[in-house]
Amino acid sequence: MNVTSVDFSIETVPLRQSSTSSIGRIKPELYKQKSVDSEDEARANAETCGKLSFSLQYDYEEQALVVRILKALDLPAKDFTGTSDPYVKIYLLPERKKKFQTRVHRKNLNPMFDETFSFPVAYDELCNRKLHFSVYDFDRFTSHDMIGEVVVDNLFELSDLSREAVVWKDIYAATTESIDLGEIMYSMCYLPTAGRMTLTVIKCRNLKAMDITGSSDPYVKVYLICDGRRLKKRKTTIKKNTLNPVYNEAIVFDIPPENVEQVSLSIMVMDYDRVGHNEVIGVCRTGPDAEGLGRDHWNEILAYPRKPITHWHSLGEWPGRGASFESQGSCSSPKPPQTP
């Protein structure tokens, strides 16, 4: 299939010439550490949503950083009942393959976790690592809501970690930047007479690096979902060592017109690992029960049959266990399409 994609290259904009009237004057603001200042300013302006307590200690014998998540206080209510079902995910960045997750605490805005996790890492490398805690509200039937995050830039902030050091940190509300996992461009086209849905994975951009080398080996997996059950699965080829893969690969599902309002497509961008488990980089969904652009894209192809329609879609975090399409449900498989 030949796919015509839009050129998203950025045009070069000429810079304005600065005024020469101030030549010879020293401007202290030009010598600020931009990254540090911008991070501190963004953090100061960010909304806080509770506190997280945890402890850090280095195990010299096991060559590992031991992280004990203790408790959280004053979490916001995410459910209509006025409460939340919180749990915490933890990464030792930049490595994202190794992650841990606490148990879910039902209906609790001040959960006591008291769970210990161990990250194998050399002591000399700790100065180049960051701890990332993501606090989520578990939802059995929809994708989980990200409550907020805690990032520890300096692991030696309190001590040399030879003894357990207890830390309290503000939880900062999740922003678009917090969960920016990249984007995927795909085209969809529906042929009602043939009962055939074609999803063409065109390319991705700015994917989250999953390897410690700062790259990933991405491929795309697409599931046909009906009432929470996976009926069919298709996947693309693997693109090695890139965060901006180009695929131009067509994936076809047979979906008769009478079933088109009962199904949806789950698109997962995966990182291939030759030795360990393949990891989810990010996900998105399209269908009548999707949200935002995922629903709009689906409605658009039904309104304009036989016409390929292309959009960029932002990737969201993999909700993990309990996601809606992991739950059990009852749905008969779509009927085979009638011969046109």
Side-chain angles (χ1 to χ4, degrees):
M1 173 175 288
N2 295 324
V3 180
T4 303
S5 58
V6 183
D7 184 8
F8 284 86
S9 60
I10 301 175
E11 295 181 359
T12 303
V13 180
L15 298 175
R16 293 183 179 179
Q17 295 293 329
S18 59
S19 173
T20 57
S21 61
S22 58
I23 293 178
R25 293 176 57 193
I26 296 176
K27 297 183 178 182
E29 64 271 17
L30 298 180
Y31 298 90
K32 288 183 179 180
Q33 296 181 14
K34 183 177 179 181
S35 61
V36 175
D37 292 344
S38 58
E39 285 180 10
D40 290 344
E41 182 180 352
R43 190 166 293 179
N45 295 332
E47 176 189 355
T48 59
C49 46
K51 290 181 176 292
L52 182 69
S53 176
F54 54 92
S55 70
L56 305 176
Q57 184 175 8
Y58 191 75
D59 187 330
Y60 294 92
E61 184 175 343
E62 298 293 333
Q63 293 283 291
L65 177 67
V66 180
V67 183
R68 188 163 153 239
I69 302 179
L70 300 171
K71 57 185 175 182
L73 290 178
D74 303 323
L75 297 179
K78 289 290 186 178
D79 301 336
F80 69 92
T81 56
T83 185
S84 292
D85 302 320
Y87 68 94
V88 180
K89 283 184 183 179
I90 177 173
Y91 295 92
L92 184 61
L93 302 177
E95 177 65 73
R96 293 183 65 87
K97 286 186 182 295
K98 185 75 171 179
K99 73 171 183 289
F100 295 105
Q101 181 174 314
T102 68
R103 295 184 299 272
V104 176
H105 288 248
R106 301 284 185 180
K107 302 188 188 318
N108 197 332
L109 300 181
N110 299 283
M112 296 284 294
F113 296 105
D114 196 17
E115 295 186 49
T116 302
F117 308 101
S118 180
F119 290 95
V121 58
Y123 185 82
D124 294 341
E125 292 181 11
L126 289 177
C127 58
N128 299 319
R129 299 299 193 95
K130 297 180 182 181
L131 267 179
H132 187 278
F133 301 88
S134 300
V135 185
Y136 282 87
D137 172 46
F138 174 86
D139 194 311
R140 183 179 174 186
F141 300 105
T142 63
S143 59
H144 306 177
D145 292 325
M146 186 174 178
I147 296 174
E149 63 178 356
V150 174
V151 179
V152 182
D153 299 316
N154 181 8
L155 293 172
F156 298 105
E157 183 177 357
L158 295 182
S159 72
D160 61 0
L161 304 181
S162 59
R163 291 183 294 179
E164 187 177 30
V166 177
V167 184
W168 278 97
K169 289 283 188 180
D170 287 328
I171 300 171
Y172 288 94
T175 62
T176 304
E177 291 76 14
S178 302
I179 52 178
D180 183 14
L181 303 173
E183 296 175 282
I184 182 171
M185 175 195 276
Y186 58 82
S187 167
M188 290 200 302
C189 179
Y190 185 60
L191 301 178
T193 53
R196 183 176 301 127
M197 177 76 71
T198 302
L199 184 147
T200 303
V201 180
I202 301 174
K203 57 184 175 179
C204 300
R205 65 184 178 188
N206 303 325
L207 295 179
K208 195 78 171 182
M210 300 294 285
D211 300 333
I212 199 168
T213 58
S215 190
S216 294
D217 299 321
Y219 67 96
V220 180
K221 191 189 303 185
V222 183
Y223 287 99
L224 176 64
I225 308 295
C226 179
D227 286 349
R229 293 176 57 194
R230 296 171 174 176
L231 300 182
K232 298 288 184 181
K233 175 182 72 174
R234 304 282 189 272
K235 59 184 179 181
T236 68
T237 56
I238 299 166
K239 302 299 180 181
K240 295 286 189 177
N241 197 33
T242 178
L243 300 181
N244 299 282
V246 177
Y247 298 98
N248 290 329
E249 297 181 37
I251 292 173
V252 178
F253 292 102
D254 291 328
I255 307 175
E258 61 266 27
N259 294 116
V260 78
E261 293 297 331
Q262 305 169 6
V263 299
S264 61
L265 298 178
S266 174
I267 298 100
M268 305 174 68
V269 181
M270 309 287 296
D271 175 43
Y272 172 77
D273 193 326
R274 187 168 59 88
V275 179
H277 296 289
N278 298 344
E279 291 285 326
V280 180
I281 297 176
V283 300
C284 63
R285 191 180 179 111
T286 184
D289 59 347
E291 297 180 353
L293 182 57
R295 181 182 61 248
D296 295 341
H297 198 168
W298 186 269
N299 291 337
E300 201 172 353
I301 62 169
L302 296 183
Y304 299 96
R306 296 174 293 279
K307 177 183 178 183
I309 297 175
T310 305
H311 286 295
W312 279 105
H313 292 259
S314 296
L315 295 172
E317 282 217 340
W318 164 238
R321 61 179 184 263
S324 59
F325 48 88
E326 293 284 0
S327 60
Q328 296 298 316
S330 59
C331 178
S332 56
S333 299
K335 300 175 183 177
Q338 300 297 321
T339 303

